[in-house]
Amino acid sequence: MNGAYKERIINGIIKENPTFILVLGMCPTLAVTTSAINGIGMGLSTCAVLILSNLIISLLRNTIPDQVRIPGYIVVIASLVTVVELILRAYIPALYDALGLYIPLIVVNCIILGRAEAYASKATPLLAACDGLGMGLGFTIALTLIGIFRELIGAGTLFGLHVMPAGYQPVAIFVRAPGAFIVLGILIAVLNGLHIKNNSSKKVEGCAGDCCSCGKEACGDRKEEQRIEG
Amino acid sequence: MSEMVLLLIGAALVNNVVLSQFYGLCPFLGVSKQVKTAASMGLAVIFVITIASAVASLIYDFVLTPLDLQFLQTIVFILVIAGLVQFVEMFLKKSSPALYQALGVYLPLITTNCAVLGVALQNVQNEYNFVSSVVNGIGTSVGFTIAIVIMAGIRERNENNNIIGPLKGMPIVLFTAALMAIAFNGFSGLI
């Protein structure tokens, strides 16, 4: 039994890493990773929401009627996000200011609803919580990694400390919007080059991981194809 | 009046929703393979965001503020948006089958497009009144449409190019987006 829990956690961090392998939740991934510390903050906030939402949804899995499960999940997730938001505002105001609107937007993070639908609604509470922990940590690690690259190149610092030699001229574009796309593009290209399979090449055909709502709805493109075929 | 025009341009071009604020990236990367589908998606987004920002602004001013329940905004907004999208879909199906045919498939996808919730929350945070909220909504969604249509145009051309192995798929799309973001940075001197 112990092994199953461990397996869930490792699965989330490595085998099904939400950012690099599943390519989910792109908006916060690109928006808040201007520094490593922001990446960690966003990752851990999402992780907390993910663990609790998986746990609660798993506990409620036999209570929520199937037809209204998506609105039900959204209410659970939105309540948890509000709690996290208030806690951050009260105790870590600096992080709250840095992340801004992206904290309430955790609600629409595809990973959370995706895990609720794909895993938590079918698993026992403890396993679901472990799954949330694994996915959350995987997300945190990915965000921190992107944050480290962007902060190092764009500002010459790491977690706020100067690490680059004094003569280093920071490439400011990396902490701005274009840098986010470039760093993620390079990281995924490296993974592709190493032949680590991710869903990006497959998904890009249909939905590039817009799984927010994808619960059962296929994405626009795919549906259109079906309609043409049908 | 000029304030509204500035707000509109600011929302559409200067602070482009996708390329500088990263809201609504999922459909931007996902539904941008063909100009035609991208344009329909953009149209659906304009439709929904405009209505949603109007409704969210009214609810915030006339329900949440008098009851002192502002902290519930996230929960209320997301439910309102989800309900609204459902309602718009049903309404279009009955009243305008042609429009439904064009936008129908995209409407359910928009519920969790973070741009919709993002704009509603932004309006509240910036303390916009009803009219400014609607203008901001229109500007933002027009900006989204501009970005996704340009992206689809570039991707249609990219289709025939010989792209080296590891860059195929997602990476080249992300690099394209990066170049577009650099271009849109040029608008920052406009206001």
PDB file of all heavy atoms in Angstrom, chain B residues 10 15 24 30 33 35 46 48-49 51 92 105 120-121 128 144 162 173 178:
ATOM      1  N   GLY B  10      -5.533  50.728 -25.090  1.00  0.00           N
ATOM      2  CA  GLY B  10      -4.636  50.156 -24.091  1.00  0.00           C
ATOM      3  C   GLY B  10      -4.911  48.683 -23.881  1.00  0.00           C
ATOM      4  O   GLY B  10      -3.999  47.854 -23.831  1.00  0.00           O
ATOM      5  N   ASN B  15      -1.518  46.542 -23.674  1.00  0.00           N
ATOM      6  CA  ASN B  15      -1.455  45.439 -22.716  1.00  0.00           C
ATOM      7  C   ASN B  15      -2.159  44.233 -23.302  1.00  0.00           C
ATOM      8  O   ASN B  15      -3.102  43.718 -22.715  1.00  0.00           O
ATOM      9  CB  ASN B  15      -2.120  45.834 -21.400  1.00  0.00           C
ATOM     10  CG  ASN B  15      -1.400  46.971 -20.749  1.00  0.00           C
ATOM     11  OD1 ASN B  15      -0.180  46.948 -20.622  1.00  0.00           O
ATOM     12  ND2 ASN B  15      -2.148  47.980 -20.342  1.00  0.00           N
ATOM     13  N   GLY B  24      -5.547  33.521 -21.169  1.00  0.00           N
ATOM     14  CA  GLY B  24      -6.117  32.878 -22.343  1.00  0.00           C
ATOM     15  C   GLY B  24      -5.088  32.278 -23.278  1.00  0.00           C
ATOM     16  O   GLY B  24      -5.275  32.237 -24.483  1.00  0.00           O
ATOM     17  N   GLY B  30      -3.892  26.582 -28.696  1.00  0.00           N
ATOM     18  CA  GLY B  30      -4.611  25.381 -29.100  1.00  0.00           C
ATOM     19  C   GLY B  30      -5.443  25.532 -30.352  1.00  0.00           C
ATOM     20  O   GLY B  30      -5.471  24.648 -31.196  1.00  0.00           O
ATOM     21  N   LYS B  33      -4.633  26.839 -35.355  1.00  0.00           N
ATOM     22  CA  LYS B  33      -4.025  26.154 -36.497  1.00  0.00           C
ATOM     23  C   LYS B  33      -4.510  26.716 -37.820  1.00  0.00           C
ATOM     24  O   LYS B  33      -3.777  26.704 -38.797  1.00  0.00           O
ATOM     25  CB  LYS B  33      -4.330  24.652 -36.439  1.00  0.00           C
ATOM     26  CG  LYS B  33      -3.322  23.903 -35.617  1.00  0.00           C
ATOM     27  CD  LYS B  33      -3.315  22.447 -35.974  1.00  0.00           C
ATOM     28  CE  LYS B  33      -2.214  22.130 -36.954  1.00  0.00           C
ATOM     29  NZ  LYS B  33      -2.223  20.709 -37.303  1.00  0.00           N
ATOM     30  N   VAL B  35      -6.742  29.986 -39.786  1.00  0.00           N
ATOM     31  CA  VAL B  35      -7.257  31.333 -39.611  1.00  0.00           C
ATOM     32  C   VAL B  35      -8.767  31.303 -39.384  1.00  0.00           C
ATOM     33  O   VAL B  35      -9.307  32.027 -38.553  1.00  0.00           O
ATOM     34  CB  VAL B  35      -6.911  32.206 -40.827  1.00  0.00           C
ATOM     35  CG1 VAL B  35      -7.564  33.566 -40.710  1.00  0.00           C
ATOM     36  CG2 VAL B  35      -5.410  32.356 -40.940  1.00  0.00           C
ATOM     37  N   ILE B  46     -14.977  37.504 -27.976  1.00  0.00           N
ATOM     38  CA  ILE B  46     -15.462  38.888 -27.887  1.00  0.00           C
ATOM     39  C   ILE B  46     -16.868  38.896 -27.299  1.00  0.00           C
ATOM     40  O   ILE B  46     -17.188  39.649 -26.370  1.00  0.00           O
ATOM     41  CB  ILE B  46     -15.482  39.555 -29.283  1.00  0.00           C
ATOM     42  CG1 ILE B  46     -14.068  39.747 -29.800  1.00  0.00           C
ATOM     43  CG2 ILE B  46     -16.199  40.904 -29.222  1.00  0.00           C
ATOM     44  CD1 ILE B  46     -13.991  40.397 -31.168  1.00  0.00           C
ATOM     45  N   VAL B  48     -18.476  36.599 -25.474  1.00  0.00           N
ATOM     46  CA  VAL B  48     -18.610  36.171 -24.075  1.00  0.00           C
ATOM     47  C   VAL B  48     -17.967  37.170 -23.111  1.00  0.00           C
ATOM     48  O   VAL B  48     -18.547  37.524 -22.093  1.00  0.00           O
ATOM     49  CB  VAL B  48     -18.005  34.764 -23.880  1.00  0.00           C
ATOM     50  CG1 VAL B  48     -17.921  34.416 -22.414  1.00  0.00           C
ATOM     51  CG2 VAL B  48     -18.830  33.742 -24.624  1.00  0.00           C
ATOM     52  N   ILE B  49     -16.765  37.644 -23.441  1.00  0.00           N
ATOM     53  CA  ILE B  49     -16.080  38.541 -22.499  1.00  0.00           C
ATOM     54  C   ILE B  49     -16.880  39.828 -22.315  1.00  0.00           C
ATOM     55  O   ILE B  49     -17.016  40.333 -21.199  1.00  0.00           O
ATOM     56  CB  ILE B  49     -14.641  38.853 -22.965  1.00  0.00           C
ATOM     57  CG1 ILE B  49     -13.760  37.629 -22.762  1.00  0.00           C
ATOM     58  CG2 ILE B  49     -14.066  40.029 -22.191  1.00  0.00           C
ATOM     59  CD1 ILE B  49     -12.297  37.871 -22.935  1.00  0.00           C
ATOM     60  N   ILE B  51     -20.146  40.349 -22.592  1.00  0.00           N
ATOM     61  CA  ILE B  51     -21.301  40.104 -21.731  1.00  0.00           C
ATOM     62  C   ILE B  51     -20.855  39.819 -20.304  1.00  0.00           C
ATOM     63  O   ILE B  51     -21.397  40.351 -19.334  1.00  0.00           O
ATOM     64  CB  ILE B  51     -22.133  38.924 -22.271  1.00  0.00           C
ATOM     65  CG1 ILE B  51     -22.616  39.234 -23.682  1.00  0.00           C
ATOM     66  CG2 ILE B  51     -23.329  38.663 -21.379  1.00  0.00           C
ATOM     67  CD1 ILE B  51     -23.360  38.113 -24.322  1.00  0.00           C
ATOM     68  N   LEU B  92     -28.453  31.216 -28.223  1.00  0.00           N
ATOM     69  CA  LEU B  92     -28.038  31.272 -29.623  1.00  0.00           C
ATOM     70  C   LEU B  92     -28.646  30.118 -30.416  1.00  0.00           C
ATOM     71  O   LEU B  92     -29.069  30.286 -31.550  1.00  0.00           O
ATOM     72  CB  LEU B  92     -26.519  31.211 -29.730  1.00  0.00           C
ATOM     73  CG  LEU B  92     -25.746  32.489 -29.485  1.00  0.00           C
ATOM     74  CD1 LEU B  92     -24.283  32.268 -29.774  1.00  0.00           C
ATOM     75  CD2 LEU B  92     -26.290  33.608 -30.350  1.00  0.00           C
ATOM     76  N   VAL B 105     -19.252  25.389 -31.118  1.00  0.00           N
ATOM     77  CA  VAL B 105     -18.254  24.498 -30.536  1.00  0.00           C
ATOM     78  C   VAL B 105     -17.323  25.205 -29.571  1.00  0.00           C
ATOM     79  O   VAL B 105     -16.750  24.599 -28.679  1.00  0.00           O
ATOM     80  CB  VAL B 105     -17.377  23.814 -31.597  1.00  0.00           C
ATOM     81  CG1 VAL B 105     -17.943  22.494 -31.974  1.00  0.00           C
ATOM     82  CG2 VAL B 105     -17.190  24.694 -32.794  1.00  0.00           C
ATOM     83  N   ALA B 120     -12.788  40.089 -15.650  1.00  0.00           N
ATOM     84  CA  ALA B 120     -13.757  40.437 -14.614  1.00  0.00           C
ATOM     85  C   ALA B 120     -13.037  40.865 -13.333  1.00  0.00           C
ATOM     86  O   ALA B 120     -13.408  41.872 -12.700  1.00  0.00           O
ATOM     87  CB  ALA B 120     -14.676  39.247 -14.335  1.00  0.00           C
ATOM     88  N   LEU B 121     -12.002  40.131 -12.958  1.00  0.00           N
ATOM     89  CA  LEU B 121     -11.265  40.473 -11.734  1.00  0.00           C
ATOM     90  C   LEU B 121     -10.475  41.769 -11.895  1.00  0.00           C
ATOM     91  O   LEU B 121     -10.389  42.577 -10.974  1.00  0.00           O
ATOM     92  CB  LEU B 121     -10.319  39.330 -11.355  1.00  0.00           C
ATOM     93  CG  LEU B 121     -10.996  38.040 -10.905  1.00  0.00           C
ATOM     94  CD1 LEU B 121      -9.993  36.916 -10.813  1.00  0.00           C
ATOM     95  CD2 LEU B 121     -11.674  38.233  -9.558  1.00  0.00           C
ATOM     96  N   TYR B 128     -13.081  49.907 -12.009  1.00  0.00           N
ATOM     97  CA  TYR B 128     -13.771  50.459 -13.164  1.00  0.00           C
ATOM     98  C   TYR B 128     -15.263  50.492 -12.899  1.00  0.00           C
ATOM     99  O   TYR B 128     -15.808  49.596 -12.251  1.00  0.00           O
ATOM    100  CB  TYR B 128     -13.517  49.588 -14.400  1.00  0.00           C
ATOM    101  CG  TYR B 128     -12.130  49.714 -14.980  1.00  0.00           C
ATOM    102  CD1 TYR B 128     -11.582  48.675 -15.714  1.00  0.00           C
ATOM    103  CD2 TYR B 128     -11.390  50.872 -14.794  1.00  0.00           C
ATOM    104  CE1 TYR B 128     -10.319  48.784 -16.258  1.00  0.00           C
ATOM    105  CE2 TYR B 128     -10.127  50.979 -15.338  1.00  0.00           C
ATOM    106  CZ  TYR B 128      -9.596  49.940 -16.055  1.00  0.00           C
ATOM    107  OH  TYR B 128      -8.340  50.041 -16.591  1.00  0.00           O
ATOM    108  N   PHE B 144      -7.352  39.888 -28.010  1.00  0.00           N
ATOM    109  CA  PHE B 144      -7.210  38.432 -28.103  1.00  0.00           C
ATOM    110  C   PHE B 144      -7.422  37.970 -29.539  1.00  0.00           C
ATOM    111  O   PHE B 144      -6.650  37.170 -30.084  1.00  0.00           O
ATOM    112  CB  PHE B 144      -8.225  37.759 -27.171  1.00  0.00           C
ATOM    113  CG  PHE B 144      -8.232  36.262 -27.261  1.00  0.00           C
ATOM    114  CD1 PHE B 144      -7.340  35.517 -26.519  1.00  0.00           C
ATOM    115  CD2 PHE B 144      -9.119  35.603 -28.092  1.00  0.00           C
ATOM    116  CE1 PHE B 144      -7.324  34.144 -26.608  1.00  0.00           C
ATOM    117  CE2 PHE B 144      -9.111  34.230 -28.192  1.00  0.00           C
ATOM    118  CZ  PHE B 144      -8.219  33.494 -27.436  1.00  0.00           C
ATOM    119  N   ASN B 162      10.249  23.524 -43.417  1.00  0.00           N
ATOM    120  CA  ASN B 162      10.972  22.364 -42.936  1.00  0.00           C
ATOM    121  C   ASN B 162      11.589  22.705 -41.581  1.00  0.00           C
ATOM    122  O   ASN B 162      12.625  23.345 -41.509  1.00  0.00           O
ATOM    123  CB  ASN B 162      12.046  21.996 -43.969  1.00  0.00           C
ATOM    124  CG  ASN B 162      12.594  20.626 -43.720  1.00  0.00           C
ATOM    125  OD1 ASN B 162      12.100  19.925 -42.818  1.00  0.00           O
ATOM    126  ND2 ASN B 162      13.602  20.240 -44.468  1.00  0.00           N
ATOM    127  N   VAL B 173       5.919  26.956 -32.087  1.00  0.00           N
ATOM    128  CA  VAL B 173       4.762  27.815 -31.816  1.00  0.00           C
ATOM    129  C   VAL B 173       5.112  28.822 -30.721  1.00  0.00           C
ATOM    130  O   VAL B 173       4.774  30.010 -30.815  1.00  0.00           O
ATOM    131  CB  VAL B 173       3.550  26.954 -31.402  1.00  0.00           C
ATOM    132  CG1 VAL B 173       2.379  27.842 -31.045  1.00  0.00           C
ATOM    133  CG2 VAL B 173       3.175  26.005 -32.513  1.00  0.00           C
ATOM    134  N   ALA B 178       6.812  34.295 -29.083  1.00  0.00           N
ATOM    135  CA  ALA B 178       7.804  35.204 -28.510  1.00  0.00           C
ATOM    136  C   ALA B 178       8.082  36.359 -29.457  1.00  0.00           C
ATOM    137  O   ALA B 178       8.123  37.524 -29.048  1.00  0.00           O
ATOM    138  CB  ALA B 178       9.105  34.436 -28.222  1.00  0.00           C
TER     139      ALA B 178
END
